[in-house]
Amino acid sequence: MALQGNLRDFSAAEILQLLGSQKKTGCLTLESEGRTSVIFVQEGRVVSTRSPGLAKDDPLLAFLRRVHRLSDEQCRGILTIQRESARDLEDLLVNGRYLDAEDLASFVERQVLEDLVRVMRLEQGTYRFDPHVRWTQTALVRLGIEAALMEVARRADEQKRFRETFPDPCEVLGVRDLPDPDVALAEDERELFGVLDGRRTLAEIVAIAPLTEYEACEALQRMLDAGWIERIGSREPGAAPVVVAAPPRTPLRLGRELAFAAAMVALMIALRFGAHALAAGTHHPAGADVFAAAQLRDVRYALDLYRRERGVYPERLEQLVDDRWLPPGRTRFSGYALSYRPERGGLGYRLDLEPDR
């Protein structure tokens, strides 16, 4: 016998708690304001929030597009293949080599939690649990209902804090200082360093980053607390940002592209607010002109980012140019001779700037 009723009498959270405590298997369907949401459970654990197959508004497909994991062209191709084969989206993603199973499971978990946050806000509508409607695919995730509801409640509290920290979506954010090379950055922090250019607004950063709005705001909050980013100003919607000219460059791998963008942002911030103390292994002559000092800072930032990616400093400065951490000619100083020597097996370096004789 199906369990059904009105959300005014029992909330979605209360219904899920009941299904979890009784280790039920089946499908919970919720109808609210013309929208249908489904939650599949197996033995009291959430395994999916989408229907098998591939609907046009499939929440997983929409999620992968929103976090820029699938392009519009890839989505159209998947829809075409599914119409011809009637296979499930998750099967198409793995066997079509769009994602491996481990990566897909991570995306599914993120998508399920985002859907649960939305569903738990529903205050009116109807619900129906049918034990005969079951998830027929291999379950990539199996979320305990109590743990999932605790995470949903935590996110609801955090989102209130984010609205207080970032009340204005037109606020412009930029890099204040790069973290120390020894600091292990989270993946979402690395992604955001690639789009924080001191010109984009909060709304634009969230839209561009391969993250959900919650994930982006959570990472931005950490980065703000750590002193890595700062508020620069505000820009009205539709107003064009001030464009800073940059030398042309060829396409790079995604990780390098993001790190290179972070380096360029950090360089502009450093030039604006003054130099940080030079590393212990760096020497430059007294009275060196401001252009040479600024150029030396560029080299140091590139060296630190190279080490963050490779684990050691390069054997030669030319590798920074070859790998496009620096533009050509940036390691040559007018009127000065720059010498570089890695030390301690690449864990340190010596950088000397002396006047040409």
Side-chain angles (χ1 to χ4, degrees):
M1 180 177 177
L3 173 68
Q4 58 187 351
N6 197 294
L7 289 174
R8 289 194 300 269
D9 300 323
F10 293 97
S11 69
E14 290 172 327
I15 300 164
L16 277 178
Q17 285 176 324
L18 176 64
L19 298 178
S21 65
Q22 297 188 6
K23 300 188 183 316
K24 293 291 187 180
T25 297
C27 178
L28 175 63
T29 303
L30 303 105
E31 301 273 356
S32 179
E33 299 179 347
R35 181 171 183 175
T36 301
S37 303
V38 297
I39 303 174
F40 283 89
V41 295
Q42 286 183 358
E43 298 178 346
R45 291 178 172 270
V46 176
V47 295
S48 182
T49 54
R50 49 176 292 270
S51 298
L54 178 54
K56 188 173 183 180
D57 59 349
D58 188 287
L60 177 58
L61 187 66
F63 180 86
L64 292 171
R65 290 178 67 181
R66 193 163 64 254
V67 299
H68 310 296
R69 186 57 185 82
L70 291 179
S71 66
D72 290 344
E73 183 179 355
Q74 287 175 318
C75 290
R76 287 193 294 270
I78 290 171
L79 286 167
T80 300
I81 296 172
Q82 201 279 333
R83 282 195 295 268
E84 297 172 353
S85 65
R87 291 157 61 190
D88 182 67
L89 172 61
E90 295 176 13
D91 176 32
L92 292 172
L93 290 170
V94 173
N95 290 307
R97 298 185 179 180
Y98 293 96
L99 292 163
D100 61 36
E102 184 177 352
D103 286 342
L104 178 58
S106 175
F107 281 110
V108 169
E109 181 172 339
R110 291 165 62 190
Q111 173 254 318
V112 167
L113 285 172
E114 188 175 65
D115 283 350
L116 289 178
V117 169
R118 176 183 57 80
V119 167
M120 293 307 111
R121 295 196 190 108
L122 299 180
E123 296 181 351
Q124 58 182 358
T126 61
Y127 66 86
R128 174 184 174 84
F129 177 74
D130 190 338
H132 301 295
V133 179
R134 303 194 170 196
W135 182 251
T136 56
Q137 308 299 315
T138 301
L140 297 179
V141 298
R142 294 175 58 84
L143 303 181
I145 287 179
E146 284 297 330
L149 292 178
M150 288 177 63
E151 174 62 15
V152 167
R154 185 189 72 82
R155 292 190 176 200
D157 290 339
E158 287 292 285
Q159 285 173 332
K160 295 177 184 176
R161 185 163 70 100
F162 299 155
R163 286 193 290 270
E164 294 175 357
T165 304
F166 305 110
D168 181 9
C170 298
E171 187 174 52
V172 177
L173 302 175
V175 176
R176 180 177 177 230
D177 192 11
L178 285 176
D180 292 334
D182 295 335
V183 174
L185 292 177
E187 183 65 27
D188 50 7
E189 293 166 348
R190 289 196 294 270
E191 299 285 5
L192 287 169
F193 268 124
V195 297
L196 282 159
D197 62 358
R199 295 178 289 154
R200 293 190 175 106
T201 64
L202 173 64
E204 291 168 339
I205 292 167
V206 170
I208 293 171
L211 305 167
T212 66
E213 180 179 2
Y214 172 83
E215 292 167 345
C217 288
E218 184 180 43
L220 288 170
Q221 178 77 64
R222 293 196 308 268
M223 296 164 77
L224 186 66
D225 292 342
W228 298 339
I229 66 173
E230 64 181 349
R231 295 176 171 87
I232 292 178
S234 183
R235 176 163 56 81
E236 292 300 320
V242 177
V243 178
V244 179
R249 49 193 177 89
T250 55
L252 307 174
R253 291 176 301 150
L254 179 60
R256 175 69 49 72
E257 186 80 18
L258 298 176
F260 186 83
M264 293 302 100
V265 172
L267 297 180
M268 288 188 290
I269 297 299
L271 292 176
R272 177 181 172 190
F273 291 102
H276 294 289
L278 292 178
T282 306
H283 168 71
H284 63 95
D289 64 70
V290 64
F291 300 106
Q295 190 175 343
L296 189 64
R297 285 195 297 271
D298 294 3
V299 175
R300 287 185 54 249
Y301 274 115
L303 283 166
D304 288 341
L305 285 168
Y306 185 100
R307 182 193 174 190
R308 181 170 294 137
E309 183 183 79
R310 303 291 182 84
V312 294
Y313 290 107
E315 295 181 1
R316 301 174 295 107
L317 283 182
E318 288 74 15
Q319 290 175 249
L320 300 178
V321 177
D322 295 342
D323 291 351
R324 299 196 64 79
W325 292 110
L326 288 173
R330 200 63 177 176
T331 59
R332 294 192 295 272
F333 288 67
S334 177
Y336 297 91
L338 179 67
S339 64
Y340 166 78
R341 182 177 71 253
E343 298 178 339
R344 305 194 307 279
L347 299 179
Y349 66 84
R350 178 76 187 181
L351 197 62
D352 293 310
L353 187 65
E354 300 290 351
D356 277 337
R357 300 184 183 281

